[in-house]
């Protein structure tokens, strides 16, 4: 019960910081926003409601999706250089 109020707050923070990182004026601001976003991810809270047998698979999928997003971001930055 203790993690349930924190999960929506964490999701809101991630959404806001993700939106702000798109509009970041400099690379340093972008890195700071992404760092704070990673700190507020709260994957531990997500895993509390998942059975123990599926936790490893879910964590792997979450990590791979974040990595694929970073690869896609690099590809988009290469294509749209301005």
């Amino acid at each position: 019960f203790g993690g349930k109020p924190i999960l929506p707050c964490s999701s809101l923070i991630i959404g806001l910081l993700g939106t702000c990182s798109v509009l970041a004026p400099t690379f340093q601001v972008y890195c700071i926003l992404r760092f704070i976003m990673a700190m507020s991810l709260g994957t531990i809270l997500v895993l509390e409601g998942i059975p123990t047998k599926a936790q490893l698979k879910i964590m792997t999928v979450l990590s791979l999706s974040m990595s694929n997003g970073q690869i896609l971001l690099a590809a988009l930055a290469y294509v749209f250089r301005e």
Side-chain angles (χ1 to χ4, degrees):
F1 292 109
K4 288 189 179 186
I6 296 173
L7 186 59
C9 293
S10 177
S11 298
L12 180 65
I13 290 171
I14 290 170
L16 288 173
L17 290 174
T19 304
C20 290
S21 68
V22 171
L23 304 171
T26 63
F27 184 68
Q28 289 81 12
V29 173
Y30 171 78
C31 288
I32 291 169
L33 289 172
R34 292 295 293 185
F35 178 74
I36 297 170
M37 188 172 138
M39 287 178 43
S40 64
L41 256 173
T43 53
I44 305 286
L45 296 173
V46 173
L47 290 177
E48 284 183 6
I50 298 173
T52 308
K53 292 181 180 179
Q55 285 182 354
L56 182 61
K57 293 176 185 174
I58 297 296
M59 276 303 292
T60 303
V61 169
L62 286 173
S63 298
L64 287 174
S65 65
M66 290 290 286
S67 299
N68 287 334
Q70 291 296 320
I71 291 170
L72 180 63
L73 179 66
L76 288 174
Y78 181 76
V79 172
F80 302 108
R81 293 183 184 191
E82 292 181 14

